[in-house]
Amino acid sequence: MNNKIESLILIGFMGTGKTTLGQFLAKNNQLSYIDLDEHIALQENKSIPEIFEAIGEQGFRQLEYEYLIECIQQYDIISTGGGIIEGDASFQILKEQSKVIWLDCEIEVLYNRVKNDKNRPNANNKSLFELKSLYSSRVSRYNEIAFTKVNSTQSLSDLQNEIMEAIICE
């Protein structure tokens, strides 16, 4: 029987700070942490754009699902990629988790953080309108699986406090 406490899973659009917050939470609470996209790139020995190019978005979503299952068993905190909710299998797994935290903030902030980032195949060379359209297509899925939603423009310590309070009051 696995007695591991359920993972805290950070979801949200690209650029919301999932990796930064995940690292902060892990360090300050002596918990294990993994960035799912970094883990996939390391395991596949390819960057995310190279994986997208080699096997397409559907192929990437399948890998993402397989590694998500693995990481849920091993890590206390997991930062996911912004598009994890695009894969139906991953979406279903996330719906079954009780500690899914949705990081969100204004689309203009996100756009300024991710525009021209070559490591984000769904953002590179996109206009604000295109990024806003992608964001809009994902919002309802983030909302459907999130235990709580936090505004990621807050300080890391304020975010930690808000998340811990939400979990304790669960």
Side-chain angles (χ1 to χ4, degrees):
M1 176 101 178
N2 183 359
N3 291 328
K4 182 189 167 305
I5 295 172
E6 191 170 346
S7 300
L8 180 70
I9 303 173
L10 304 176
I11 65 165
F13 201 68
M14 59 188 111
T16 54
K18 299 177 298 289
T19 299
T20 303
L21 179 60
Q23 291 168 339
F24 180 84
L25 292 171
K27 181 180 178 194
N28 286 310
N29 296 284
Q30 292 77 49
L31 297 170
S32 61
Y33 168 77
I34 191 90
D35 178 290
L36 190 59
D37 278 355
E38 286 179 14
H39 183 65
I40 293 167
L42 186 66
Q43 296 302 308
E44 297 298 313
N45 201 26
K46 292 181 178 145
S47 69
I48 300 300
E50 288 170 337
I51 295 170
F52 264 68
E53 190 174 315
I55 60 175
E57 185 169 354
Q58 286 302 101
F60 174 77
R61 297 297 171 210
Q62 181 59 38
L63 285 175
E64 191 174 48
Y65 165 74
E66 292 167 12
Y67 288 116
L68 175 64
I69 297 284
E70 172 189 303
C71 290
I72 284 174
Q73 302 303 314
Q74 297 177 24
Y75 295 93
D76 299 312
I77 301 173
I78 302 168
S79 295
T80 64
I84 195 161
I85 45 85
E86 299 282 357
D88 289 335
S90 294
F91 183 73
Q92 290 306 315
I93 292 296
L94 291 170
K95 275 179 84 167
E96 297 167 9
Q97 306 302 305
S98 66
K99 294 182 179 144
V100 176
I101 310 297
W102 176 16
L103 276 67
D104 196 24
C105 65
E106 297 78 24
I107 189 65
E108 293 78 14
V109 172
L110 300 176
Y111 176 72
N112 287 324
R113 289 179 183 172
V114 304
K115 67 181 176 185
N116 305 322
D117 185 339
K118 292 175 181 22
N119 289 314
R120 300 178 192 270
N122 282 331
N124 193 23
N125 297 319
K126 296 279 194 306
S127 68
L128 174 59
F129 177 80
E130 290 169 312
L131 211 62
K132 191 172 189 173
S133 295
L134 180 60
Y135 171 86
S136 297
S137 74
R138 293 179 175 176
V139 166
S140 66
R141 286 196 127 193
Y142 292 139
N143 190 53
E144 187 175 336
I145 61 174
F147 163 70
T148 192
K149 176 182 173 182
V150 295
N151 183 327
S152 65
T153 58
Q154 300 176 74
S155 71
L156 291 171
S157 57
D158 285 348
L159 284 168
Q160 175 179 256
N161 292 339
E162 186 174 338
I163 290 166
M164 294 306 166
E165 188 174 305
I167 290 170
I168 290 167
C169 294
E170 173 181 24

